[in-house]
Amino acid sequence: MAPAKPNFLIIIADDLGFSDVGCFGGEIKTPNLDSLGRNGVRFKDFHAAAACSPTRSMLMSGTDHHLTGLGQLVEFTSNSPAHQGKPGHEGYLTDNVATLPEVLRDGGYHTIMSGKWHLGLRPEYSPSARGFTRSFTLLPGCANHYGWEPQIEENGLSPKFFETAVAALHMEDREYVDNSKLPEDFYSTDHYTDKLLQYLEERPTEKPFFAYLPYSAPHWPLQAPKENSSRYKGLYKDGPEALRQKRLQGLIREGLTSADVKAHPVVAPGSKEWEAMDDITRAKSAKAMEVYAGMVDRMDENIGRVISYLKDNDLYDNTMIFFASDNGAEGASYEMIPVIGENITDHIEKYYNNSLDNIGQKDSFVWYGSRWAQAATAPSRLFKMFSTEGGVRVPLIMKPIGSGNPSICDEFCTIMDIMPTLLELAGIERPGSTYNGRPVISMRGSSWVPYLHGSAEHIHADDHVTGWELIGNGALRKGNWKINFVNKPFGPEAWQLYDLSVDPGETTDLAEQEPEKLKELINHWQQYALETQVVGLKPDLGTIIVRDEMDDPTKWMKYETSSGISKRLKNERAAVQS
């Protein structure tokens, strides 16, 4: 009798910092993840894209996000004429790729998903359309974790940011969900877990399964049940620099960085030092961090529920589990994110209650900013939206099939590698140039199976090249050498060169000392950009790219905002009821 095919479970946290969980050096209580990590494999050189939907498209396709339709965050593309109408920037996961759930489904797997999608808002772009047999999904990039929305006054206008990213637009299979019918005690992390467990219970037991659980936590707005956030009361009163130092020591203690590591200095233009803040601002900032910790705490509890289900049903040993973050910790304050373009402070003050005692509740709307983020990405440089290590190096925990020796993996690898790895473990052939009658792009990722089985010394060869680009920031890595292009005011808007083998914090620019190496890597990046349809780097985006003239600028893609769809659905339901 042939051995049973393995089951796969992929869990993604949203904007989780590198050192947030306990087994990566953090103080947040994550016993379930700690058990997975300390009894499995912890990867310390695993990389994603610098933001959420690009990373998710890479996971679903095994290739670079510029080739999948998510060259940029759709919220950015909608405000960037330089990208609109360009191939690879359609704003949803296109048919140019064969997706991981699609190929696994066709190979005999039962495919289920519950959580954040962010790869298209319409039914034709939904998880159900891209290979998932069952799915309950949050379609946009983020939403209120309690499903709550303020009642905007009649004829009132929301800032564009709230139109695109905050409405809790859900879909089950191919039907939009009426939010009024969500449970009264709805909380995103709990409900997404409930749904995944429901789908696991209802699955056909004769088939192996692929389960995808992408939480929307701990993405802002920072909201958590008091029972979780109260566990951290007073823990962050000394501010982000004190936490940063503790996290660095935690990483050293866990064997995830060297004792003599040189951490990159904190870069936070426009953000006050902790000592320069007034008492109430410090108190609110510390409270926001407490709530953030509560979100991670609650997520770990729910992951424990899934693990218990697998163990109780004799599924655990034959299930390979991956847990990762989709990008580095979120560090940008709203006024500095290019996707917003408007001051939202007045809107928040009018419709939300951000008093100290209310922070973290359903009608609050807070984030934690760049200094707390850099406590979580240290020793790396910067955070989400940048292709520096702080933006793209993320924690990964892998539980192998059966039992294995606990270990820490220092191999460079990326989220593009997961699809080819799972397909090889499942005994399913990689898609060729066509799939289900349509042309598709080949995967750029590599299978880890030879490395995991001991027949290869490394996952990638020393001359392997990986490139990045997002909102005009770029990077490329070859072996231990890496170049970064960082926009002002966070960088010089010029290529910088680093040797990560001795400088993981990207603190010493070697561009002048190693001009030939710099030239070599820049040439590789230019080739990468041509191969993957990268539009360009700032500040030249608006001058080197000519936008095609359009009568209707919205024709660049089939796009509605999540808020617009929600309003349309409410009006349609009201018309039916009347």
Side-chain angles (χ1 to χ4, degrees):
M1 183 178 177
K5 286 190 174 185
N7 304 308
F8 302 119
L9 169 62
I10 297 177
I11 306 170
I12 299 294
D14 201 353
D15 291 357
L16 186 80
F18 189 82
S19 61
D20 281 341
V21 304
C23 64
F24 275 78
E27 73 295 333
I28 302 174
K29 296 177 175 62
T30 54
N32 296 294
L33 287 171
D34 295 349
S35 178
L36 282 180
R38 294 198 173 107
N39 291 293
V41 184
R42 285 174 284 173
F43 288 71
K44 65 178 186 179
D45 206 11
F46 178 71
H47 290 72
C52 36
S53 57
T55 289
R56 291 156 202 272
S57 72
M58 293 162 73
L59 172 63
M60 291 291 105
S61 68
T63 195
D64 188 276
H65 61 96
H66 297 88
L67 299 170
T68 70
L70 278 303
Q72 305 292 331
L73 292 160
V74 65
E75 296 86 356
F76 176 80
T77 306
S78 64
N79 290 289
S80 174
H83 293 88
Q84 293 170 10
K86 302 303 177 186
H89 296 77
E90 291 82 0
Y92 56 88
L93 188 64
T94 68
D95 285 334
N96 293 340
V97 295
T99 69
L100 175 59
E102 179 183 21
V103 179
L104 287 174
R105 179 200 63 195
D106 294 346
Y109 274 72
H110 185 65
T111 55
I112 58 176
M113 172 191 171
S114 181
K116 174 177 166 178
W117 181 237
H118 204 192
L119 299 176
L121 299 177
R122 292 186 171 186
E124 60 265 35
Y125 312 138
S126 67
S128 180
R130 302 316 313 270
F132 283 102
T133 310
R134 296 300 315 275
S135 59
F136 183 93
T137 182
L138 174 70
L139 294 174
C142 66
N144 186 293
H145 292 280
Y146 289 97
W148 181 86
E149 293 183 46
Q151 296 301 307
I152 306 299
E153 61 190 27
E154 188 173 356
N155 299 323
L157 294 176
S158 298
K160 189 179 296 182
F161 171 72
F162 286 91
E163 292 290 326
T164 60
V166 181
L169 181 65
H170 290 97
M171 178 175 284
E172 185 157 24
D173 301 327
R174 289 209 185 195
E175 298 294 328
Y176 291 112
V177 174
D178 184 347
N179 282 344
S180 67
K181 296 181 180 178
L182 291 174
E184 288 188 9
D185 61 349
F186 175 87
Y187 180 69
S188 64
T189 302
D190 296 348
H191 196 72
Y192 301 155
T193 306
D194 290 343
K195 276 293 180 181
L196 191 84
L197 291 173
Q198 173 193 329
Y199 296 156
L200 283 170
E201 184 66 20
E202 295 171 351
R203 79 192 190 285
T205 56
E206 71 276 8
K207 288 186 174 184
F209 66 79
F210 166 55
Y212 180 39
L213 181 57
Y215 289 113
S216 57
H219 195 296
W220 46 258
L222 302 183
Q223 297 166 326
K226 285 186 177 181
E227 65 190 84
N228 297 94
S229 59
S230 63
R231 296 169 184 168
Y232 304 92
K233 185 174 179 60
L235 190 61
Y236 303 109
K237 60 181 176 59
D238 294 330
E241 180 58 29
L243 179 64
R244 182 170 173 264
Q245 295 304 321
K246 290 177 182 177
R247 292 286 186 89
L248 283 167
Q249 291 305 308
L251 288 166
I252 293 168
R253 182 182 66 249
E254 294 288 341
L256 296 168
T257 196
S258 62
D260 61 350
V261 67
K262 183 180 180 182
H264 196 280
V266 172
V267 180
S271 174
K272 288 185 178 181
E273 296 277 0
W274 188 253
E275 294 74 17
M277 296 178 182
D278 58 46
D279 289 346
I280 187 62
T281 302
R282 279 198 298 266
K284 286 187 173 183
S285 181
K287 179 68 176 292
M289 185 62 210
E290 291 171 11
V291 173
Y292 177 94
M295 296 176 78
V296 177
D297 184 302
R298 188 73 166 205
M299 180 177 64
D300 184 81
E301 287 183 358
N302 277 278
I303 291 170
R305 294 172 59 203
V306 178
I307 292 171
S308 294
Y309 178 89
L310 297 177
K311 289 181 175 179
D312 292 345
N313 289 274
D314 296 325
L315 296 167
Y316 184 77
D317 288 346
N318 195 41
T319 300
M320 175 173 265
I321 301 174
F322 295 85
F323 171 84
S325 180
D326 59 348
N327 44 248
E330 169 65 272
S333 61
Y334 292 157
E335 305 304 329
M336 301 170 71
I337 301 178
V339 304
I340 296 169
E342 296 157 295
N343 187 316
I344 64 170
T345 303
D346 292 344
H347 184 84
I348 291 176
E349 289 181 352
K350 184 173 184 177
Y351 292 108
Y352 293 88
N353 177 5
N354 283 344
S355 61
L356 179 61
D357 290 341
N358 200 62
I359 287 174
Q361 299 309 296
K362 67 179 183 180
D363 56 344
S364 66
F365 198 104
V366 299
W367 57 97
Y368 71 178
S370 62
R371 294 186 182 276
W372 291 112
Q374 288 173 90
T377 62
S380 299
R381 179 184 182 188
L382 294 172
F383 39 80
K384 176 182 176 180
M385 305 301 281
F386 294 97
S387 298
T388 55
E389 290 296 279
V392 298
R393 187 176 74 122
V394 298
L396 171 67
I397 294 169
M398 184 187 77
K399 185 206 85 70
I401 300 298
S403 59
N405 295 321
S407 63
I408 293 174
C409 179
D410 59 6
E411 288 290 302
F412 169 76
C413 48
T414 80
I415 201 159
M416 291 184 290
D417 300 331
I418 290 181
M419 180 171 175
T421 300
L422 267 55
L423 294 184
E424 184 167 354
L425 289 169
I428 298 173
E429 187 176 346
R430 292 171 65 139
S433 58
T434 61
Y435 193 79
N436 286 341
R438 68 183 192 274
V440 294
I441 294 165
S442 61
M443 290 185 284
R444 295 173 73 91
S446 300
S447 172
W448 299 347
V449 172
Y451 174 78
L452 295 176
H453 289 175
S455 60
E457 186 177 357
H458 299 290
I459 291 175
H460 294 290
D462 289 342
D463 61 353
H464 178 79
V465 169
T466 299
W468 289 268
E469 184 277 330
L470 196 75
I471 63 169
N473 293 292
L476 181 131
R477 178 162 169 171
K478 183 178 182 181
N480 285 316
W481 289 97
K482 187 181 177 193
I483 53 171
N484 288 326
F485 187 98
V486 181
N487 298 332
K488 295 177 180 178
F490 294 91
E493 284 184 358
W495 285 111
Q496 298 171 291
L497 175 69
Y498 301 97
D499 180 357
L500 298 181
S501 66
V502 295
D503 184 22
E506 298 173 326
T507 62
T508 304
D509 180 9
L510 301 176
E512 291 187 4
Q513 293 95 311
E514 301 281 352
E516 291 304 311
K517 179 60 69 173
L518 176 67
K519 182 179 178 180
E520 174 192 346
L521 266 63
I522 290 175
N523 287 337
H524 280 305
W525 191 88
Q526 291 172 337
Q527 182 61 37
Y528 157 77
L530 287 172
E531 292 175 358
T532 60
Q533 308 175 138
V534 171
V535 168
L537 298 173
K538 284 186 176 179
D540 298 318
L541 285 177
T543 57
I544 64 172
I545 303 299
V546 178
R547 179 184 176 188
D548 295 334
E549 291 299 323
M550 303 179 192
D551 294 331
D552 180 357
T554 66
K555 287 182 179 177
W556 64 271
M557 64 175 181
K558 302 170 183 175
Y559 179 68
E560 287 182 276
T561 65
S562 55
S563 178
I565 293 175
S566 292
K567 290 176 182 177
R568 173 169 59 80
L569 292 172
K570 286 178 182 177
N571 291 336
E572 289 173 357
R573 290 171 186 139
V576 169
Q577 291 173 357
S578 63

